[in-house]
Amino acid sequence: MTGSPRSSGAGSPKSLDLPREARGERLDRVLASLLPGESRASLQRLMRDGRVRILGRPARPSYTVRGGERIEIEIPPPRPSHLEPEALPLVILHEDTDLLVLDKPAGLPVHPGAGARRTTLVNALLHHCKDLSVIGGIERPGIVHRLDRETSGVLVIAKNDAAHRSLAAQFKARTVRKLYEALVWGDPRGLDGVIDGPIGRHPFARVRMAVRPDGRPSRTVFRISTSFGEVSFLEIEPSTGRTHQIRVHLSFIGHPIVGDSLYGGRRPLQDAPRDVAEALAAYAGLALHARRLGFAHPRSGAWHEFTAARPETLQSVLDRLSRGSPGGPSDEAGSP
């Protein structure tokens, strides 16, 4: 029964034989592909706790698979969730038995983090939905992908594990179409519109990511929608989905997103034209919006795309900038 667990049920031991075709790969990656209910991070934790054994010895995540080895895994029963449902407002773009598509507002964290157990999207989902997928863990029910706290826009939520697996596979295969919009400092017209730069954890500031040689391959494509001189409005399609990818890449090429205090998006305005300075001074958020998301429906396979209108604050600053620039970006959002 190569590559399949020999027993099931949370808290019970599992055994499996590693497939021959996985030879040369890292153990944590192989196990994550064989156990769809477990992430690489959760498997790494199990290994650190001594709950994964290979050939009778504790296994390391970086172990290089030879193929055919017997793996013993002890997966503890899930801890009860202490998250509380909250009746927070949700902007629902679409809902059916398998998924929920939302327009997440800026300022709302997707899931609980250190010191934040309430007022997250997960708290709102627990109030709205009877069932959510549990593949992501008890702290992240239904969460297939995420947006940063200050990023607004389209987010898809899985209501069951089958939908979660399908959507996660599409994100991994990079068949999901993602379109973002951002207002950035400067005018990147001299660049080719493609940013290839591996992204990893910043060596000193652990809350930040950075382009670094030992990072994971990352690619971002952008187009200039409108240039206002001091700032430009971009359409962005990330080919990969690394943490803070768009913010890191745009900062890397010298055009950070307006309002991004973490990656250099706060700049003095004393040299800017008065109308530009006034418009930007009135904007206090992160000027990044997940405009559109497209994917194959987990049950029917039919292609769907969903669009979120720009937040009023972002549209307002664009309108003010556009008054002196004919042909500025217009807002034509709505569910396709």
Side-chain angles (χ1 to χ4, degrees), residues 302-321:
W303 184 261
H304 292 275
E305 291 193 0
F306 300 95
T307 304
R310 294 178 200 131
E312 291 183 9
T313 52
L314 179 57
Q315 188 61 48
S316 177
V317 73
L318 291 172
D319 290 342
R320 294 184 66 177
L321 292 169

Side-chain angles (χ1 to χ4, degrees), residues 141-159:
I143 304 302
V144 181
H145 66 127
R146 61 183 294 275
L147 298 175
D148 294 340
R149 176 196 291 261
E150 297 305 325
T151 302
S152 58
V154 189
L155 194 74
V156 61
I157 304 298
K159 286 188 171 182

Side-chain angles (χ1 to χ4, degrees), residues 6 14-15 21 33-34 66 86 113 118 123-124 129 141 165 172 177 188 212-213 223 261 274 316 319 333 335:
R6 296 182 183 272
K14 300 176 186 292
S15 65
E21 56 270 24
S33 68
L34 297 176
R66 297 197 299 268
E86 292 184 67
R118 297 181 60 83
N123 296 103
C129 299
R165 291 189 184 98
K172 183 176 182 180
R177 293 190 61 186
R212 47 186 300 168
R223 298 179 295 276
S261 58
R274 181 177 177 181
S316 177
D319 290 342
S335 284

Side-chain angles (χ1 to χ4, degrees), residues 226-246:
T226 310
S227 176
F228 302 103
E230 293 287 326
V231 292
S232 299
F233 192 62
L234 309 183
E235 291 185 340
I236 303 158
E237 295 186 61
S239 303
T240 50
R242 311 303 179 206
T243 300
H244 296 179
Q245 176 175 318
I246 295 173

Side-chain angles (χ1 to χ4, degrees), residues 245-269:
Q245 176 175 318
I246 295 173
R247 299 164 65 185
V248 171
H249 271 172
L250 291 173
S251 179
F252 177 68
I253 63 171
H255 298 281
I257 299 173
V258 170
D260 193 348
S261 58
L262 197 58
Y263 295 102
R266 302 287 189 190
R267 293 193 174 182
L269 298 169

Side-chain angles (χ1 to χ4, degrees), residues 16-193:
L16 58 87
D17 297 328
L18 297 178
R20 302 284 181 185
E21 56 270 24
R23 182 181 180 86
E25 297 186 35
R26 283 175 57 106
L27 178 61
D28 56 352
R29 290 183 184 273
V30 175
L31 290 180
S33 68
L34 297 176
L35 299 167
E38 300 293 330
S39 66
R40 281 182 66 194
S42 68
L43 289 165
Q44 289 168 357
R45 285 193 295 272
L46 291 176
M47 292 183 200
R48 288 195 297 270
D49 293 341
R51 295 179 181 271
V52 181
R53 302 182 70 83
I54 184 167
L55 303 176
R57 297 188 298 272
R60 292 178 291 109
S62 59
Y63 172 83
T64 301
V65 172
R66 297 197 299 268
E69 301 99 314
R70 172 63 56 84
I71 299 290
E72 301 288 339
I73 306 173
E74 180 189 351
I75 300 178
R79 295 178 289 112
S81 173
H82 298 293
L83 298 176
E84 296 183 13
E86 292 184 67
L88 305 175
L90 292 174
V91 178
I92 299 174
L93 303 177
H94 172 82
E95 183 172 12
D96 58 38
T97 57
D98 297 298
L99 52 85
L100 186 66
V101 183
L102 304 173
D103 179 0
K104 186 192 87 68
L108 180 68
V110 170
H111 54 73
R117 306 295 299 172
R118 297 181 60 83
T119 318
T120 73
L121 181 62
V122 162
N123 296 103
L125 291 172
L126 291 172
H127 180 270
H128 179 79
C129 299
K130 290 184 178 180
D131 297 305
L132 292 166
S133 72
V134 297
I135 287 179
I138 61 172
E139 299 291 303
R140 303 182 183 188
I143 304 302
V144 181
H145 66 127
R146 61 183 294 275
L147 298 175
D148 294 340
R149 176 196 291 261
E150 297 305 325
T151 302
S152 58
V154 189
L155 194 74
V156 61
I157 304 298
K159 286 188 171 182
N160 53 64
D161 289 357
H164 193 130
R165 291 189 184 98
S166 172
L167 291 167
Q170 293 181 59
F171 276 100
K172 183 176 182 180
R174 302 177 186 175
T175 57
V176 174
R177 293 190 61 186
K178 297 171 284 186
L179 177 67
Y180 288 75
E181 296 175 329
L183 187 65
V184 305
W185 288 102
D187 186 344
R189 275 184 292 188
L191 303 175
D192 61 7

